[in-house]
Amino acid sequence: MIKIKDGKNIIIAALLIAVLFMSVGYASFAQRLDINGNAEITGEWDVEITKIEATKVTGTAEPGTPEFTKTTATFDADLKKPGDAVTYTITVANNGNIDATLSSADFTPQVDGSPAIIYTNTSPETSLEAGGTTTFTVTATYDSTYQEIPAVTTRTITGVVEYVQAS
């Protein structure tokens, strides 16, 4: 016959074994998980002027030698008589891998320059996809209504074309 004292010992031993198994089971299923991440931006922004050339000469006008860098374009036109004009085509390329959107295109002729020189321009495309190009023109014209050489014979235009990352 089993004594009550021995029965208590068996129950206590069984409970200790059960607690031991539960501890081992909990430890095997309860683990610390460390999750680390790393992100890198590899986009390349490269919108630049790649070409400027005189594409149309009217009358006796003579185009100067245009010059450009990635961000600036400069040209000169020698307009000799009323009606003369020179049109320059400027090429902008998106050599990066991020699409661009035209933010602004502002062309402002010099206020105190010769009123006999008229500037006109077109605007580049509003969207410039990665790898794409767009062109726009700037034309300098000797106003045909002027029959005498004006006192001021030069006029400068400043143009700012700005692209931003497409959304």
Side-chain angles (χ1 to χ4, degrees):
M1 198 171 206
I2 300 179
K3 293 183 182 177
I4 295 180
K5 191 174 184 183
D6 287 337
K8 283 183 181 179
N9 287 340
I10 292 174
I11 292 174
I12 291 173
L15 287 174
L16 286 174
I17 291 172
V19 168
L20 178 69
F21 278 118
M22 288 186 343
S23 297
V24 169
Y26 176 78
S28 65
F29 289 113
Q31 295 180 9
R32 178 179 162 183
L33 300 176
D34 289 328
I35 300 172
N36 295 311
N38 187 28
E40 181 179 345
I41 296 174
T42 58
E44 183 181 334
W45 180 259
D46 187 12
V47 177
E48 64 181 337
I49 297 169
T50 58
K51 186 178 181 182
I52 179 172
E53 65 180 331
T55 51
K56 184 178 180 186
V57 179
T58 304
T60 60
E62 292 181 14
T65 303
E67 297 177 1
F68 66 93
T69 67
K70 284 184 156 196
T71 58
T72 64
T74 306
F75 61 88
D76 293 312
D78 186 4
L79 308 175
K80 298 180 181 206
K81 64 180 186 175
D84 282 359
V86 178
T87 299
Y88 287 90
T89 299
I90 302 165
T91 303
V92 177
N94 184 350
N95 296 322
N97 59 9
I98 301 171
D99 292 344
T101 300
L102 180 66
S103 172
S104 65
D106 182 33
F107 295 87
T108 308
Q110 176 185 351
V111 176
D112 58 350
S114 175
I117 300 173
I118 300 170
Y119 283 105
T120 56
N121 61 274
T122 61
S123 288
E125 294 291 322
T126 56
S127 294
L128 186 54
E129 293 180 354
T133 61
T134 186
T135 61
F136 61 95
T137 62
V138 177
T139 302
T141 305
Y142 191 151
D143 188 346
S144 60
T145 62
Y146 280 82
Q147 298 303 316
E148 294 181 14
I149 296 177
V152 178
T153 59
T154 62
R155 189 172 194 193
T156 301
I157 188 170
T158 301
V160 177
V161 177
E162 190 170 7
Y163 281 92
V164 296
Q165 181 177 334
S167 52

